[in-house]
Amino acid sequence: MAKGKVVQNTVMLYLMNFAKIALPLITLPYLTRVLSLNNYGTFTYVKTVMTYMQLIIDFGFLFSATKDIVEAGKDKKKIGSITGNVLIAKFILSFFSLLFLIILMIFIPLLRRNILFTLVSFVPVFLTVFLFDFLFRGIEEMQIITFRYILMKGISTGLTFIFVKGNNDLMWIPILDIIGTLVAILWVWRTMNRMGIVLSFGTLKEAFNKIKISAVYFVSDIVSTAFGALNTLIIGILLSSSDVALFGLVSQLVAAVQAMYTPIVNGIYPEMVKTKSLNLIKKVLYIFMPLITIGCLIVFFGAGIILSIIGGSKYIGAGTVLKLMIPVLFFSFPEMLFSWPVLGVIDKVKETTATTIEATIVQITGLLLLIIFNVFTLNTITILRGITEFILFVLRWTIFWKNRYRFNK
C-alpha cells in the first residue's frame, strides 16, 4: 500500500511539474515574439525578484510543515492547528517580504523604472499563502496540489493569448496571475471544507516558533537560489536588459528540466521519512541518471535549434550559454536527491544547509572575482554556475556516504 501511495503521489507531482513545464513553454515562444528583447528582459527580471519574495513567504514550510503534518497522522484537529499557525507565520513573512521588495525598488534602477509592474507582480506571490501546499503534501493528497496548479496556471496561460498583444500589455501578465490564483484559492478552501479540516489559530508566539523551526530549511532554500536567481539579479544591475532576456530564457529552459526532477524528489520524501530506504534511493538513481545523460547530449548537439524554436531567431546567440549549462542539468538531480529526501530524513538538516552555504560562498566569491577582473559575461557566469552545482553534489554525497549505515537496506 505504501509503495502504491508513493507511486501515485509521484505520478501526481510529475503531472503537476509537467504542467509547470508545458504551460510556461506554451506562452514562452509567444511572449518572446510579441515583447521586445528589453521588455521580455524586464518581465524576466521582475519574475526573478519574485522568486526571492516567494522564498521569504514560503520560508521552508514546504518541508518543515509537511513533516509536522505527516507526524500529526489523521488527527484533523492537530492538522488544523498546524495549518493555522503556519498561515499566521506566512502573513508575518509577507510583510517583511514587501518591505524587502520596496528596498530593492529603491536601489535597483530596472525595478525603479517599473514600480507598478513590480508591485502588481507581488500580489499573486502573496496570495499563495492561502494555497496550503504543505498540508496536502503532508496528508499525501498530491492530486489536490496538481489539479489546483493546472487550474490556476491554465487560466492565466489561456488568457495571456487574449490580453497580451505587445509591449503595452505587459501589465496584464501579473493581473492574469492574480485571477488564476484567486480561482485556485476558492477551489482549495472548498476542498478543505469537504475534508473536514478546520483552521485554528494559536498565539503570535506559536507562529514565530514555527518560523524559528523552519529557519534552517529557509536558509538552505534561499542560499540555493543564489545559484540561479542571484546571477540574473546581478546581470540586471551590471549588464543590459537584453542580456537578462538571453540568460533568462536559458535559465527558464534549465528550470523546466529541473522541474521534471522535483516530483521525483518530492514524491519519495514522505516515504523516506517513514522508511529511510536505501534501496529506494538506488532505484531512483539507476532509472533516471541514464535518461538525464541522454538529455544532456541532446542539449549539447541541438542547443541552437532548441533556442530558435522556443525563443525565435533573436535568441540563437545564447546557444553557447545553454551548452555551458549542461553540468547544471546533470548534477542538479543527484544534488536535489541527496538533499532533504536523503540527508533530511536522518536529521542531517544543519549539515545539508551547511553544504548549500559552502557552495554558495564559492558562487558569490566567483561572482566577485568575475566583477573585479572585468570578465563578468554570460559565458563566465554560466561556467561558474556549473562548478558550484558540482561542488554542492560532492559535498552532499560525502555526508551521505559517511552516514549510509543509518539507512534501511
Side-chain angles (χ1 to χ4, degrees):
M1 180 67 70
K3 289 184 178 179
K5 193 67 174 178
V6 170
V7 172
Q8 176 187 326
N9 289 336
T10 302
V11 168
M12 284 294 107
L13 284 174
Y14 213 94
L15 178 60
M16 182 179 71
N17 280 267
F18 174 77
K20 284 185 177 181
I21 298 168
L23 294 177
L25 286 181
I26 290 173
T27 57
L28 179 59
Y30 178 75
L31 291 176
T32 55
R33 286 165 172 81
V34 300
L35 298 177
S36 66
L37 208 59
N38 286 333
N39 274 271
Y40 184 76
T42 299
F43 160 68
T44 301
Y45 195 74
V46 172
K47 186 178 178 181
T48 300
V49 172
M50 291 308 138
T51 300
Y52 282 100
M53 302 304 106
Q54 188 72 68
L55 283 171
I56 295 173
I57 292 174
D58 288 343
F59 211 79
F61 285 121
L62 192 60
F63 288 100
S64 65
T66 295
K67 191 173 182 179
D68 289 342
I69 297 293
V70 171
E71 293 172 349
K74 298 184 182 297
D75 188 341
K76 291 187 178 180
K77 184 177 180 181
K78 191 172 182 180
I79 290 173
S81 175
I82 293 169
T83 306
N85 287 331
V86 171
L87 180 60
I88 295 175
K90 287 196 171 192
F91 281 145
I92 297 170
L93 293 165
S94 297
F95 173 74
F96 287 106
S97 179
L98 181 59
L99 285 181
F100 181 48
L101 179 61
I102 292 171
I103 293 171
L104 289 179
M105 287 191 294
I106 293 172
F107 290 100
I108 299 177
L110 199 153
L111 296 180
R112 195 163 59 244
R113 292 194 300 267
N114 299 276
I115 291 178
L116 183 59
F117 179 72
T118 303
L119 289 174
V120 175
S121 297
F122 177 77
V123 176
V125 175
F126 164 70
L127 290 175
T128 60
V129 303
F130 300 105
L131 294 177
F132 307 122
D133 279 8
F134 65 89
L135 165 63
F136 298 113
R137 289 179 189 273
I139 62 176
E140 297 188 69
E141 296 292 343
M142 309 300 187
Q143 72 276 6
I144 296 175
I145 302 173
T146 300
F147 297 145
R148 182 271 301 165
Y149 179 84
I150 293 174
L151 174 67
M152 178 175 69
K153 292 301 179 182
I155 290 172
S156 60
T157 297
L159 294 177
T160 296
F161 294 99
I162 298 174
F163 291 97
V164 182
K165 300 295 184 181
N167 292 328
N168 294 331
D169 302 320
L170 190 64
M171 188 64 69
W172 273 108
I173 297 176
I175 291 174
L176 297 178
D177 280 339
I178 293 171
I179 294 171
T181 306
L182 287 173
V183 173
I185 289 171
L186 292 174
W187 189 79
V188 165
W189 280 78
R190 288 186 62 186
T191 302
M192 289 174 60
N193 287 335
R194 287 200 304 269
M195 297 175 69
I197 297 175
V198 180
L199 301 188
S200 60
F201 304 97
T203 62
L204 284 176
K205 183 178 179 180
E206 290 176 300
F208 277 109
N209 187 53
K210 288 289 183 185
I211 294 174
K212 181 181 177 181
I213 293 172
S214 194
V216 66
Y217 295 94
F218 166 72
V219 171
S220 180
D221 288 341
I222 196 73
V223 172
S224 63
T225 305
F227 296 145
L230 180 60
N231 293 333
T232 305
L233 200 66
I234 297 177
I235 290 170
I237 297 173
L238 299 180
L239 302 179
S240 67
S241 56
S242 297
D243 288 319
V244 172
L246 295 175
F247 190 81
L249 178 62
V250 172
S251 297
Q252 189 164 347
L253 293 176
V254 172
V257 175
Q258 290 175 322
M260 299 176 67
Y261 304 161
T262 303
I264 305 165
V265 174
N266 290 345
I268 69 171
Y269 179 70
E271 185 66 15
M272 285 297 294
V273 171
K274 298 175 184 177
T275 65
K276 299 179 177 63
S277 172
L278 185 60
N279 283 334
L280 181 58
I281 298 300
K282 289 181 178 179
K283 287 178 181 178
V284 170
L285 289 172
Y286 291 155
I287 292 172
F288 290 100
M289 287 311 296
L291 297 175
I292 291 171
T293 302
I294 293 172
C296 289
L297 291 172
I298 292 174
V299 171
F300 181 80
F301 290 105
I305 297 174
I306 293 171
L307 288 170
S308 178
I309 294 172
I310 299 298
S313 58
K314 55 188 174 183
Y315 289 89
I316 294 179
T320 302
V321 176
L322 181 56
K323 289 181 180 180
L324 292 173
M325 278 285 190
I326 288 176
V328 178
L329 295 173
F330 185 83
F331 289 110
S332 59
F333 176 74
E335 170 265 306
M336 293 165 63
L337 188 64
F338 283 96
S339 178
W340 305 125
V342 175
L343 299 183
V345 300
I346 58 171
D347 299 320
K348 293 294 179 180
V349 176
K350 291 182 179 179
E351 290 83 350
T352 304
T353 302
T355 61
T356 309
I357 294 173
E358 290 163 7
T360 301
I361 290 173
V362 173
Q363 172 81 5
I364 294 174
T365 302
L367 289 172
L368 290 174
L369 291 174
L370 293 179
I371 295 170
I372 292 171
F373 290 100
N374 198 28
V375 288
F376 188 85
T377 66
L378 296 185
N379 289 347
T380 55
I381 295 168
T382 309
I383 292 171
L384 176 63
R385 174 73 177 85
I387 292 172
T388 51
E389 193 73 39
F390 172 72
I391 290 174
L392 183 58
F393 160 68
V394 171
L395 290 172
R396 288 180 173 173
W397 183 87
T398 301
I399 297 173
F400 155 74
W401 187 252
K402 290 178 179 179
N403 294 274
R404 62 190 183 279
Y405 65 91
R406 298 184 62 178
F407 293 90
N408 298 317
K409 294 183 179 180

